[in-house]
Amino acid sequence: MNVFRLTGDLSHLAAIIILLLKIWKTRSCAGISGKSQILFALVFTTRYLDLLTSFISLYNTSMKVIYIGCSYATVYLIYMKFRATYDGNHDSFRVEFLVVPVGGLAVLINHDFSPLEILWTFSIYLESVAILPQLFMISKTGEAETITTHYLFCLGLYRALYLFNWIWRYYFEGFFDMIAIVAGVVQTVLYCDFFYLYVTKGGMKIELFGHIDENKSLEELKLLKGKKLSLRRLKGAGGDRSSQQTRWEDYINTKGRVPSTLFDFNLV
């Protein structure tokens, strides 16, 4: 085992522990996508069915059991223990649009057309996009809590480190797995925008453009009104600048946030 795989595994484990501790200590799963966690549970279940047929090492077996157990524990906490705090309205990503295409791709492109191999391939493909419901939820709420950003960072770091693991294995072991590498690249790319925000924000709570904190002062809100309008005055927008400014301020005062889109502001 090389250092990239070991640190990747530890980063993955850290992400899982951070998430579980966050939910348990706050007694809340607010801001967490239950759909992403269901997908991860499905990923680990289909990937580690070889636990029933083979033994590689104590480390390998232990990590597999931990991943499976923690994934189902997370799902239990979200949908059972702290269900009252789960934000189902914002966790609205259509996961069937991920599972069905990924299942079809696993049947068509795999290393060996056997049940275990197809399920393993399915898990690799699914893991590459399993975080999408979580990212979609953040885009809808407009923010991610500090602890959630740490979870996502560790999860993305794990996948990035595994890319270096594949490179290491290719040069020093002659091992090359195109399916795992392509899926890993796709998954890492999905995290790139988040990585940028995480680094620039110093790992603190992230707020996306188009949303404001309810606790912002009135002075900040007024400043926000004046700044955002100039960025959103597009060709085809109705009314002169004065009327647009009035509608802009009315929208913020009524909704308590900046319009997410031009159509939301009803300028066209």
Side-chain angles (χ1 to χ4, degrees), residues 127-165:
E127 185 183 21
S128 69
V129 294
I131 198 62
L132 281 177
Q134 180 66 66
L135 298 178
F136 181 74
M137 186 176 186
I138 291 175
S139 72
K140 291 193 70 176
T141 60
E143 63 181 24
E145 295 180 4
T146 300
I147 196 68
T148 307
T149 64
H150 294 333
Y151 160 70
L152 291 173
F153 177 78
C154 288
L155 207 56
L157 181 62
Y158 136 70
R159 180 44 62 186
L161 287 168
Y162 253 66
L163 289 180
F164 289 105
N165 165 61

Side-chain angles (χ1 to χ4, degrees), residues 257-268:
R257 65 178 177 85
V258 175
S260 300
T261 67
L262 188 64
F263 295 98
D264 195 9
F265 187 34
N266 194 29
L267 285 178
V268 295

Side-chain angles (χ1 to χ4, degrees), residues 183-231:
V185 169
V186 170
Q187 187 173 359
T188 304
V189 167
L190 291 177
Y191 284 94
C192 284
D193 185 53
F194 171 80
F195 281 156
Y196 171 76
L197 290 175
Y198 185 89
V199 173
T200 56
K201 294 286 187 178
M204 301 302 289
K205 179 177 179 179
I206 291 176
E207 294 179 19
L208 303 183
F209 177 81
H211 297 263
I212 60 173
D213 192 326
E214 293 178 356
N215 295 320
K216 284 187 180 293
S217 66
L218 181 59
E219 289 72 21
E220 290 177 312
L221 185 58
K222 289 179 178 178
L223 183 62
L224 191 61
K225 294 174 186 176
K227 283 187 175 181
K228 300 300 185 182
L229 180 58
S230 61
L231 296 176

Side-chain angles (χ1 to χ4, degrees), residues 3 22 24 36 46 52 88 125-126 148 193-194 197 226-227 250 259:
V3 65
K22 183 267 182 192
W24 188 258
S36 270
T46 54
L52 304 175
Y125 292 151
L126 184 60
T148 307
D193 185 53
F194 171 80
L197 290 175
K227 283 187 175 181
D250 287 344

Side-chain angles (χ1 to χ4, degrees), residues 44-222:
F44 297 136
T45 301
T46 54
R47 179 176 302 174
Y48 298 142
L49 288 174
D50 62 347
L51 280 171
L52 304 175
T53 61
S54 61
F55 177 82
I56 298 176
S57 68
L58 180 61
Y59 171 84
N60 183 275
T61 298
S62 299
M63 293 301 284
K64 290 177 179 179
V65 171
I66 290 173
Y67 288 152
I68 294 174
C70 287
S71 65
Y72 280 99
T74 304
V75 171
Y76 167 76
L77 291 179
I78 293 174
Y79 287 100
M80 299 292 290
K81 183 74 172 178
F82 304 117
R83 181 179 179 82
T85 64
Y86 170 57
D87 187 3
N89 291 329
H90 287 119
D91 192 15
S92 56
F93 192 94
R94 299 286 295 278
V95 294
E96 60 269 27
F97 292 153
L98 298 178
V99 175
V100 174
V102 162
L105 187 62
V107 172
L108 295 174
I109 304 177
N110 51 68
H111 295 308
D112 180 53
F113 198 76
S114 63
L116 283 180
E117 187 64 31
I118 290 175
L119 288 173
W120 178 87
T121 306
F122 169 79
S123 75
I124 295 296
Y125 292 151
L126 184 60
E127 185 183 21
S128 69
V129 294
I131 198 62
L132 281 177
Q134 180 66 66
L135 298 178
F136 181 74
M137 186 176 186
I138 291 175
S139 72
K140 291 193 70 176
T141 60
E143 63 181 24
E145 295 180 4
T146 300
I147 196 68
T148 307
T149 64
H150 294 333
Y151 160 70
L152 291 173
F153 177 78
C154 288
L155 207 56
L157 181 62
Y158 136 70
R159 180 44 62 186
L161 287 168
Y162 253 66
L163 289 180
F164 289 105
N165 165 61
W166 296 124
I167 295 173
W168 175 281
R169 295 192 65 183
Y170 175 74
Y171 279 103
F172 294 96
E173 301 176 15
F175 182 83
F176 183 78
D177 188 331
M178 180 60 74
I179 290 177
I181 291 174
V182 171
V185 169
V186 170
Q187 187 173 359
T188 304
V189 167
L190 291 177
Y191 284 94
C192 284
D193 185 53
F194 171 80
F195 281 156
Y196 171 76
L197 290 175
Y198 185 89
V199 173
T200 56
K201 294 286 187 178
M204 301 302 289
K205 179 177 179 179
I206 291 176
E207 294 179 19
L208 303 183
F209 177 81
H211 297 263
I212 60 173
D213 192 326
E214 293 178 356
N215 295 320
K216 284 187 180 293
S217 66
L218 181 59
E219 289 72 21
E220 290 177 312
L221 185 58
K222 289 179 178 178

